[in-house]
Amino acid sequence: MFEKIRSLIFKFDPEKAHDLAIHALKTNIVPVKVKNYECLKVKFLEKEIPNPIGIAAGFDKNAEVYNSLFKLGFGFVEVGTITPEPQYGNLKPRVFRLEEDEALINRLGFNNIGSDKASENIQKNLPTGLLGINIGPNKDTKNRLDDYLKCLRRLNNLSDYITINISSPNTENLRSFHNPKELDELLKAINEEKIKINSSVQIAVKIAPDLKFSDLDVIGNILLKNHIKFVIISNTSDGTRDNLKNINKFEKGGLSGKPIEEKSNLLIKEFYKIFNNKIKIIGVGGVDSGKSAYDKFISGASYIQLYTGMVYQGPNIVNKISSELNDILISNGNKNIQELIGSV
Ligand SMILES: Cc1cc2nc3c(=O)[nH]c(=O)nc-3n(C[C@H](O)[C@H](O)[C@H](O)COP(=O)(O)O)c2cc1C
């Protein structure tokens, strides 16, 4: 069904097509019949969720359609990135399809309605499943660290976890928070703020795929020291695009989808060793099938997320991945998806 309408959808500018998808989800006109599998049921924090497949940040930037996304079968949803104040983001066009590469490039730049309105949206429409909120600083802020704290204060009691996004390539120098000193200061401040406001929300940190392998130990140990619960690996890539086919490869922005899959898996494998099960990994990058999901779990991810896969495969993607994963587990003789984690 989706394959037939995909060519029609792809006639629209990608951001326009996304706006139409959000509209369709708001009006609940996306017909998907969800099938759950016993072997995919997992625990996430204290909650049992139907499967470990989440929708990545950036799809529901303004916390408008998370309950419709649960109805598509997603086991958890991460909304955002939300900044303290509303912001327009970069000039359009700012999202590009690379069809032959099954990829996207975006330079949206944290376009969102801001933390007050996002918070109102969530309070008016309480989540029916497990919700994460991804936060970041405004482009023109005087104090980036303080922006994370403002969002934490505003949003901490509305979600199961809060993601500290330090890895968008579209906010200048945001990735400098990967520097050990800056990262440590940021996470310390987050933990102190949590104590001040008496919040028990769990913290995830979302990292870039373009890190040097020689830096991973130091970064990993700072995350461990600051009692981070989840690390999301990874955001989009600003690495080289020489091997891509589509002409849009020259557009500035973050690359997502198939071309970053291997990069993200390698990073997951390395961090899995460093974390030694003390921090759980949420694996993201190029997931669009049971096999690609399987590769994330055996690399060391406890949960996975996707975005670009849904653009190319449509709203039935969770059903498709679940059914293919179920087949893989049966043929491997595994009873539950958790048996796969880090088994590469
Ligand atoms: C159009 C678009 C917008 C995105 N916006 C955000 C965002 O606001 N915050 C964030 O942390 N990640 C954002 N991402 C990154 C995704 O969450 C994900 O980490 C990345 O796309 C890799 O996964 P994928 O290959 O399944 O798309 C965005 C990705 C896309 C394609």
Side-chain angles (χ1 to χ4, degrees):
M1 162 86 171
F2 180 75
E3 262 158 37
K4 282 194 191 134
I5 57 168
R6 194 176 93 167
S7 54
L8 184 70
I9 295 172
F10 277 17
K11 288 200 170 47
F12 288 96
D13 158 80
E15 192 170 351
K16 183 78 200 156
H18 179 260
D19 292 345
L20 290 171
I22 295 287
H23 183 72
L25 286 165
K26 269 188 191 167
T27 48
N28 267 318
I29 55 164
V30 187
V32 170
K33 198 168 176 305
V34 177
K35 184 166 173 5
N36 289 325
Y37 297 86
E38 201 53 36
C39 62
L40 298 183
K41 273 191 192 155
V42 290
K43 267 202 151 178
F44 193 120
L45 296 168
E46 292 313 310
K47 288 187 181 163
E48 189 172 270
I49 56 174
N51 63 65
I53 309 163
I55 180 97
F59 187 88
D60 187 8
K61 279 195 185 265
N62 293 324
E64 296 171 302
V65 293
Y66 45 86
N67 281 336
S68 303
L69 291 164
F70 290 126
K71 286 191 191 146
L72 296 186
F74 284 103
F76 64 109
V77 173
E78 187 169 315
V79 298
T81 297
I82 291 163
T83 54
E85 300 302 324
Q87 71 181 22
Y88 179 80
N90 293 317
L91 289 178
K92 295 180 183 178
R94 49 194 186 175
V95 186
F96 305 89
R97 289 188 201 97
L98 289 76
E99 273 191 66
E100 302 90 321
D101 305 295
E102 294 175 70
L104 295 173
I105 289 178
N106 91 81
R107 50 169 181 269
L108 287 162
F110 289 167
N111 53 317
N112 78 106
I113 56 175
S115 59
D116 284 346
K117 286 230 169 80
S119 150
E120 272 170 35
N121 281 355
I122 301 173
Q123 288 177 74
K124 277 198 301 222
N125 183 23
L126 293 180
T128 55
L130 194 135
L131 188 77
I133 304 180
N134 179 307
I135 62 172
N138 279 111
K139 182 181 175 205
D140 298 325
T141 184
K142 292 207 172 66
N143 187 336
R144 288 189 169 180
L145 192 153
D146 207 40
D147 272 20
Y148 288 104
L149 302 183
K150 280 184 188 160
C151 284
L152 178 71
R153 279 196 293 271
R154 194 80 191 82
L155 300 164
N156 77 86
N157 56 351
L158 299 174
S159 67
D160 295 282
Y161 71 91
I162 295 271
T163 298
I164 310 298
N165 181 6
I166 57 167
S167 48
S168 167
N170 301 317
T171 297
E172 226 184 311
N173 292 327
L174 186 72
R175 289 185 171 186
S176 68
F177 277 114
H178 289 75
N179 295 337
K181 190 169 166 287
E182 281 187 59
L183 182 61
D184 199 31
E185 274 169 13
L186 172 64
L187 300 183
K188 253 193 208 137
I190 296 278
N191 282 328
E192 282 166 12
E193 191 65 29
K194 268 180 61 182
I195 295 172
K196 236 191 256 170
I197 61 176
N198 202 10
S199 167
S200 56
V201 72
Q202 296 293 348
I203 302 294
V205 175
K206 184 162 180 179
I207 63 171
D210 308 307
L211 303 176
K212 279 202 248 125
F213 270 56
S214 52
D215 292 339
L216 302 190
D217 259 325
V218 179
I219 292 175
N221 282 312
I222 293 169
L223 295 166
L224 283 164
K225 192 180 100 183
N226 284 287
H227 308 291
I228 295 309
K229 192 78 181 177
F230 306 104
V231 171
I232 306 182
I233 307 172
S234 67
N235 212 315
T236 54
S237 169
D238 61 3
T240 57
R241 282 122 204 238
D242 297 346
N243 296 331
L244 300 181
K245 298 186 192 92
N246 190 287
I247 185 75
N248 283 335
K249 69 182 181 182
F250 298 112
E251 292 293 342
K252 195 169 172 291
L255 176 69
S256 60
K258 275 300 168 201
I260 69 163
E261 182 179 6
E262 196 48 41
K263 218 177 196 183
S264 128
N265 291 354
L266 286 174
L267 217 53
I268 291 170
K269 280 180 200 155
E270 286 307 306
F271 274 115
Y272 183 72
K273 285 186 239 158
I274 296 169
F275 293 154
N276 197 17
N277 243 348
K278 293 191 183 92
I279 296 180
K280 292 214 184 307
I281 294 171
I282 301 176
V284 206
V287 175
D288 65 349
S289 63
K291 169 74 173 77
S292 56
Y294 173 81
D295 287 341
K296 287 268 183 294
F297 290 111
I298 62 169
S299 299
S302 294
Y303 312 97
I304 56 170
Q305 289 178 328
L306 60 90
Y307 184 153
T308 307
M310 187 149 87
V311 171
Y312 284 95
Q313 310 260 344
N316 200 37
I317 191 160
V318 182
N319 269 337
K320 173 186 132 82
I321 295 177
S322 299
S323 141
E324 289 171 5
L325 269 179
N326 180 54
D327 290 345
I328 296 174
L329 289 175
I330 290 173
S331 70
N332 277 3
N334 293 118
K335 287 215 161 50
N336 189 279
I337 188 81
Q338 281 169 319
E339 293 167 25
L340 296 182
I341 300 167
S343 62
V344 72

